[in-house]
């Protein structure tokens, strides 16, 4: 590759500190307290990213927050974010409607590795809103379905009322080349589905532990039992990828808000191979 080509690519890359205006073209009410925004750039330019990356979304006059991208990375015209209302910025964001404009910086972060898993069984382990940042990876694995063995999704929710993307889960379950297991921690009497933990699903899922890559996207507290269940099945740490979360402010490693040990999650993460963080992830406080 010539220097001229490199210069053109660098010139075409968005400035990570520059907020670009995007217009909301669709808003979807998901489970209670969650919503999905479909965004398009005001200047009509494409937006490229890889599964696992995130953007900094800016509500004008309120503030900025890091949100994982949850759409199909092959669609360069529409940016999709599923958001949970948990703070000042996301609550203000929840009041926006189609036609409103929001600021976007990104994409940032290390993506989920895909090519390294060619030839392996693929196991997705997630729960509730953790499915949102994992969805772009699932889309991409299904786009490249011929490169993988079994594809298994283990999904858990607190109850039947907060199963995210329920229609999509039914669509995936209807495929002949994908296993989808769903469990709820609690359910009303008479419910015929599975009740229990996601770790319990890992114990019964059908895959070859010696030739499996696992992608885990859960809260840190719930990641530990999921990883332990994978270890119990024989999936080693170097074939497990997890996401970690911290309060990200700058997204470029300047502010230090997301530092964990020597790692800055906005740059080195949020996706990590588990064996690279296993020693510090086991610590309760840093």
């Amino acid at each position: 590759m010539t220097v001229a080509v490199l210069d053109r690519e660098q010139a075409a890359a968005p400035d990570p500190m520059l907020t670009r205006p995007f217009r909301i073209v669709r808003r979807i009410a998901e489970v209670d307290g969650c919503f999905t925004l479909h965004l398009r750039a005001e200047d009509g330019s494409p937006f490229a990213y890889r599964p696992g990356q995130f953007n900094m979304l800016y509500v004008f006059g309120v503030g900025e927050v890091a949100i994982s991208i949850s759409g199909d990375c092959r669609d360069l015209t529409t940016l999709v974010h599923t958001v949970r209302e948990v703070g000042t910025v996301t609550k203000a964001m929840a009041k926006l409607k189609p036609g409103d404009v929001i600021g976007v910086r990104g994409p940032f972060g290390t993506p989920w590795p895909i090519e390294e898993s060619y030839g392996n069984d693929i196991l997705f382990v997630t729960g509730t809103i953790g499915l949102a940042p994992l969805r772009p990876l699932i889309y991409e694995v299904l786009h490249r379905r011929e490169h993988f063995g079994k594809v298994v999704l283990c999904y858990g929710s607190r109850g039947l009322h907060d199963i995210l993307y329920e229609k999509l889960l039914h669509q995936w379950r209807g495929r002949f080349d994908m296993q989808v297991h769903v469990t709820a921690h609690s359910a009303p009497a008479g419910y015929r589905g599975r009740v229990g933990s996601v770790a319990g699903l890992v114990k019964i899922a059908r895959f070859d532990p010696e030739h499996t890559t696992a992608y885990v996207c859960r809260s840190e507290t719930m990641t530990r039992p999921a990883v332990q269940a994978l270890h119990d099945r024989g999936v080693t740490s170097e074939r497990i990828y997890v996401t970690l979360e911290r309060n990200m402010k700058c997204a470029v490693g300047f502010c230090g808000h997301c530092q964990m040990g020597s790692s800055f999650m906005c740059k080195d993460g949020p996706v990590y191979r588990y064996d690279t963080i296993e020693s510090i992830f086991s610590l309760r406080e840093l």
Side-chain angles (χ1 to χ4, degrees):
M1 185 177 289
T2 66
V3 174
V5 172
L6 284 171
D7 287 344
R8 285 200 300 271
E9 288 188 355
Q10 290 170 354
D15 183 344
M17 300 308 292
L18 178 65
T19 299
R20 300 168 56 194
F22 276 67
R23 190 169 298 276
I24 300 171
V25 296
R26 187 182 181 192
R27 185 189 187 281
I28 303 172
E30 304 286 1
V31 297
D32 186 37
C34 294
F35 58 94
T36 296
L37 298 179
H38 290 234
L39 312 171
R40 287 183 184 164
E42 281 284 76
D43 60 5
S45 61
F47 191 95
Y49 65 94
R50 296 185 64 191
Q53 293 189 295
F54 68 94
N55 285 325
M56 299 298 294
L57 301 186
Y58 180 58
V59 179
F60 297 105
V62 180
E64 191 178 50
V65 64
I67 302 291
S68 295
I69 307 172
S70 53
D72 188 337
C73 64
R74 299 199 178 199
D75 182 356
L76 302 181
T77 63
T78 305
L79 189 58
V80 179
H81 286 278
T82 296
V83 184
R84 173 179 283 172
E85 299 177 50
V86 294
T88 302
V89 179
T90 52
K91 288 180 179 178
M93 200 178 297
K95 298 177 181 178
L96 300 178
K97 57 187 182 301
D100 290 338
V101 175
I102 194 170
V104 176
R105 282 199 299 124
F108 300 107
T110 301
W112 298 103
I114 299 176
E115 288 80 6
E116 295 89 334
S117 301
Y118 279 5
N120 283 354
D121 290 348
I122 301 297
L123 178 63
F124 303 110
V125 183
T126 187
T128 56
I129 199 167
L131 183 56
L134 200 57
R135 184 167 67 164
L137 176 62
I138 298 175
Y139 281 146
E140 192 59 28
V141 166
L142 294 178
H143 283 314
R144 309 187 200 185
R145 185 63 186 84
E146 69 277 8
H147 292 292
F148 307 101
K150 294 184 177 69
V151 175
V152 184
L153 170 62
C154 294
Y155 176 83
S157 67
R158 291 185 296 271
L160 304 184
H161 63 285
D162 62 353
I163 299 177
L164 188 65
Y165 307 147
E166 189 168 8
K167 289 183 180 179
L168 184 58
L169 288 172
H170 284 299
Q171 291 175 14
W172 286 339
R173 180 174 274 167
R175 296 177 60 114
F176 292 105
D177 58 355
M178 183 178 185
Q179 302 172 39
V180 177
H181 304 291
V182 178
T183 187
H185 284 280
S186 62
Y191 175 64
R192 297 185 178 182
R194 289 189 177 92
V195 177
S197 67
V198 173
L201 293 180
V202 173
K203 295 177 182 178
I204 65 172
R206 298 191 302 274
F207 58 88
D208 180 357
E210 294 185 359
H211 301 91
T212 290
T213 303
Y215 300 97
V216 182
C217 188
R218 310 204 68 201
S219 67
E220 292 182 25
T221 301
M222 301 306 293
T223 292
R224 291 186 177 92
V227 169
Q228 184 59 56
L230 289 166
H231 284 164
D232 291 344
R233 287 291 305 270
V235 182
T236 55
S237 294
E238 66 270 17
R239 288 183 285 110
I240 300 173
Y241 294 88
V242 301
T243 56
L244 300 181
E245 292 184 355
R246 288 294 186 275
N247 185 17
M248 300 178 188
K249 292 293 185 182
C250 70
V252 291
F254 288 162
C255 70
H257 277 78
C258 64
Q259 187 171 4
M260 182 183 73
S262 61
S263 175
F264 293 89
M265 290 189 188
C266 62
K267 294 179 63 178
D268 305 315
V271 175
Y272 291 89
R273 201 176 73 184
Y274 189 69
D275 63 313
T276 67
I277 60 165
E278 191 168 4
S279 60
I280 56 176
F281 186 72
S282 60
L283 300 176
R284 298 297 179 178
E285 296 291 340
L286 295 176

